[in-house]
Structures are given as structure tokens and as C-alpha cells.
Amino acid sequence: MNVAIMGFGVVGSGVAEVIASNADHIAKHSRVELRLSHILDIRDFPDSAFAQYMTKDVNDILSDDDTRIVVETMGGVEPAFTFVSACLKKGKHVVSSNKELVAKKGDVLLNLARENNVNFLFEAAVGGGIPIIRPLSLCLAANRVQQIAGILNGTTNFILSKMITDNMDFAAALRLAQEKGYAEKDPTADVEGIDACRKICILASLASGKHVFPDGIYTEGISALTAQDVRDAAKFGCVIKLIARATRLDDARWCLTVSPALVPQDHMLAGVSGVFNACLVRGDMVGDVLMYGQGAGKLATASAVVADVIDCAQHADASKVFGWGEADPAMLADPMTVETKLFVRAETADKAADTAKLNAAWPDCTFADSEDGELVFITPMQPEGALRDTLASFGFADMSVIRVF
Ligand code: HSE
């Protein structure tokens, strides 16, 4: 079956490489013959082993009836959305690794795929090479998903790991991540939690059956964390991780957050270090399931893309029951109404008086040893908004506030 690739960047070139290297193996084990037909990119690649497939015109793909499967690895919403829509309308299956596209336009594209009896698949959009989408939509289909909690961004996990194990501050750890090629020159989408937010929205959409848009989801990154926060978290036996979380509440609404969180050192997610990702899914029948592996990288991500390509080739004449429907804003709960504990590091002019005030407000507040002029504590479990209101009433000059997982 002929396959075109739109976008010859890191992942797109990895897809070409996986198809070229493993076509025989795939033919033998999966009984589909994959052949590259076109590679779309605005750049020139005269020295590439795949130069013969290059085109700058999307119509070469759209007008080729022999190309039934198109891989989109361009990134960004446009022109990817226009091109993917056109491919689906032409009756071509589309496989995408583009989390921004899926998070912002998944409802429209899934609908277009259904209308045209083709598939729009995106295993690689969350967790890179880790199987997450298919396990969630297929293997765990008998469950009502109660919670998804993940370390879904490798760059921030690398930075936090360096802050935890090497006592680095955020700026030094970010510089190292950039030197190693994990963090981009403009690291905003990673360090401010935007990338993790897109990914948890995709997972929550799958679990809830309704599109969850990233806009409006509580998203807090790691750029304000200090080495002192990390050291103080350790006093409570915790590490700090960027946790993307979607929780199904008792009233069937969903609460989504992306934020740093204190994770107990003996928790499964605490041991996920460096650029690795992990996703913990709690089903009402199966209990906890952990998926772990390389969340980014050329061949790891391409392996997930090509698995989707194989799936499309094996079901070339059918539209799979997969995805979700339109958004329902009433389905989302305000995180400030949901119970949590907060870790706080506060500047104080009168430690004894402020400790007494805290004990009076929250008799089960837990304190850690702290320097003069500082209080470090974990609040009791209460709705987050109420906790923050009480904290504000103490009038601390400065505070770090981090959720407890
Ligand atoms: N920038 C992302 C990360 C790449 O660091 O995890 C994979 O989506």
C-alpha cells in the first residue's frame, strides 16, 4: 500500500526510515506491503536517500488515487489542518503525530474521517513511542476510566530530574536540556506546560468521549520552581514532577490540570527520570495500569506512527470505531472546587505567630524544618479554592504553592 508523508522533519524522516528499513518485516508479520510514494516539504533535501519522493505540492498527494494512507508530521495547526482535511475528504486515511492539531481540531477531523469512511489515527501524538492511545481506546475499553495521570513531557522531566538529583537550579537545568537537544531554543511550550496540556486533553477526550479543548485548562509550568522547593519537597519524602491529570469526579464531570506536584518518592511516577514519559490510567475494573517509555525521539515516535499506518492498511476499507464527539463545556469542573493538599513555602516575619495562626486554621497542617524567616508546610485536604483563600488571608510576603499528588 502506498504511503505519503507530509512534513520531513525529525519524525517524518523517521517514518521514512522505519518503512524503508522494516518493510520486509512488516510484510511478513503484519501482512501489509508499505511503499513510500510522496514526501511533502517546502524545504529541499537533495542529499536525502528519499530525494526521489520529494514534492512541494500537496496536490501530488491529493490527486494520487494509489496513495491511500497519508502521514502528517508537519506540526502546528496550519497548514496541517487544511491538508489533513483535504486528504480525508479524498478518502485517504491519515495518521498524525501532531498533538496540537489533534488537541485543537480532533473533533472536526474525526468527524470528517467517519463521514468519508476512513481513519484518522494519532498514537504518536501522546507519549511518542509509548502505546497509550490504543491501550486507552481498545485494551481498556471495558472500563470506566477514573483517572489519567502522566508525566507527558520529556523536556520538563529531564529538567526536574537534574534539579532533583544534581541540585541544579531551573536555569542551569534548562541550559543543559537545550545543549542536549531536548529543549527547543524557545522552550515555552514545554516548560510552561502547554505541550503536556495538549496531550492530557487528547487522553481526556478519549476517556470521556467528548472533545476537551486545551484553552481554559488550568496549566502551570515549571519555570517558577526553585532548587529550594525541590529540597523542601524532599523533607516530606516527595519529588516534584510536572503532572498532567484528568480525574473523573463522582458527578461524572472531569477535572483537568497540568501543574508541578509533590509525588511521594515510593510512587510509580516518582521513579520516572530524565526524558522518559509515563502514564498511569486507573480503570474501574482493571485498577492501575502504567505505561512507560520514550516519549519523544525520531525512531521511537516513528514506530508509533508506522503502527497506525499498518492499522490503516489492515483496515483499508473501514472506518474504525474510535475517537470522540463534540465538546461539552458543562462536563469540565473548576479545579478550585476539587479537593487537594497544597505544599507551601512562605516567607514570614514572625515564624512563631504565623505557625500558631496556621495551626488554628488547620489543626492537621504538617510542618517541615525550615530556615529562619520561612515556613514550609502541607495543608490539609480541602477544595483548592478554599485553601488558597485561607492562605491569602495570612498575608505572607511571598509564597511557593505546589499541589500534592
Ligand atoms: N517536546 C516534547 C517533549 C516532545 O519534550 O516531551 C514530544 O512531544
Side-chain angles (χ1 to χ4, degrees):
M1 191 157 291
N2 287 357
V3 181
I5 300 172
M6 303 193 293
F8 198 56
V10 175
V11 179
S13 59
V15 171
E17 213 172 303
V18 171
I19 291 178
S21 310
N22 281 4
D24 288 351
H25 167 82
I26 293 167
K28 198 165 151 206
H29 287 262
S30 305
R31 313 238 169 139
V32 290
E33 288 187 12
L34 302 181
R35 286 175 300 272
L36 280 173
S37 57
H38 309 274
I39 299 176
L40 176 74
D41 204 293
I42 47 170
R43 296 165 295 180
D44 291 311
F45 296 90
D47 302 326
S48 164
F50 303 101
Q52 59 182 304
Y53 303 110
M54 301 307 302
T55 175
K56 291 185 180 3
D57 185 355
V58 71
N59 290 309
D60 287 344
I61 296 173
L62 293 172
S63 61
D64 178 0
D65 292 338
D66 289 336
T67 293
R68 298 278 316 275
I69 304 172
V70 181
V71 169
E72 184 274 309
T73 44
M74 304 169 72
V77 173
E78 283 297 354
F81 176 66
T82 303
F83 291 178
V84 169
S85 303
C87 287
L88 294 170
K89 284 179 192 162
K90 280 275 186 183
K92 299 180 192 300
H93 302 280
V94 177
V95 173
S96 175
S97 63
N98 182 344
K99 57 236 157 171
E100 186 176 2
L101 179 72
V102 179
K104 293 184 177 168
K105 298 287 186 184
D107 53 344
V108 180
L109 294 172
L110 284 162
N111 205 29
L112 263 182
R114 281 177 214 119
E115 281 171 11
N116 290 281
N117 199 36
V118 289
N119 293 300
F120 175 57
L121 303 183
F122 39 82
E123 180 63 66
V126 183
I130 313 170
I132 294 181
I133 301 283
R134 197 168 275 97
L136 193 57
S137 62
L138 207 58
C139 313
L140 301 177
N143 289 262
R144 188 169 284 122
V145 172
Q146 296 171 317
Q147 182 166 211
I148 303 167
I151 293 172
L152 300 180
N153 183 267
T155 304
T156 44
N157 203 47
F158 174 84
I159 292 171
L160 289 174
S161 298
K162 287 289 162 194
M163 290 176 75
I164 293 162
T165 54
D166 298 351
N167 209 13
M168 282 188 180
D169 65 16
F170 170 78
L174 171 59
R175 267 197 307 278
L176 184 62
Q178 284 170 321
E179 278 161 28
K180 286 186 170 290
Y182 301 141
E184 312 222 359
K185 215 163 146 195
D186 176 0
T188 313
D190 288 325
V191 301
E192 299 307 342
I194 298 163
D195 175 76
C197 178
R198 289 173 184 148
K199 293 168 177 168
I200 195 68
C201 285
I202 294 171
L203 298 182
S205 301
L206 265 182
S208 69
K210 291 178 178 163
H211 192 108
V212 180
F213 289 102
D215 286 353
I217 297 300
Y218 182 97
T219 305
E220 189 187 322
I222 63 164
S223 58
L225 290 179
T226 65
Q228 189 61 43
D229 292 329
V230 170
R231 284 193 291 272
D232 284 338
K235 293 177 185 166
F236 289 103
C238 292
V239 292
I240 300 179
K241 294 287 181 189
L242 183 69
I243 301 291
R245 194 175 191 182
T247 308
R248 187 177 190 273
L249 305 177
D250 289 342
D251 62 7
R253 288 182 307 151
W254 285 79
C255 177
L256 270 77
T257 54
V258 176
S259 73
L262 263 69
V263 179
Q265 278 156 357
D266 58 1
H267 190 279
M268 284 186 270
L269 292 177
V272 178
S273 299
V275 288
F276 278 82
N277 283 196
C279 185
L280 186 64
V281 179
R282 180 167 300 156
D284 61 349
M285 297 294 136
V286 72
D288 284 349
V289 175
L290 182 72
M291 290 157 263
Y292 168 87
Q294 292 188 52
K298 178 176 173 170
L299 293 178
T301 308
S303 115
V305 172
V306 177
D308 277 347
V309 169
I310 293 169
D311 197 353
C312 289
Q314 287 175 333
H315 303 96
D317 298 317
S319 175
K320 290 158 59 103
V321 177
F322 169 74
W324 55 78
E326 278 178 21
D328 171 11
M331 179 191 88
L332 294 176
D334 176 357
M336 293 303 134
T337 64
V338 176
E339 288 199 334
T340 187
K341 288 184 181 183
L342 296 174
F343 159 94
V344 183
R345 197 156 61 77
E347 216 176 283
T348 169
D350 187 339
K351 201 163 173 170
D354 282 335
T355 305
K357 274 195 238 168
L358 280 162
N359 274 324
W362 294 321
D364 43 358
C365 191
T366 321
F367 292 87
D369 289 340
S370 57
E371 313 271 313
D372 282 349
E374 208 170 71
L375 273 168
V376 178
F377 55 93
I378 290 183
T379 69
M381 187 89 153
Q382 282 185 14
E384 182 166 344
L387 287 175
R388 288 188 184 264
D389 287 347
T390 308
L391 278 173
S393 74
F394 294 129
F396 293 122
D398 196 20
M399 276 192 294
S400 288
V401 180
I402 304 171
R403 290 183 168 85
V404 178
F405 183 65

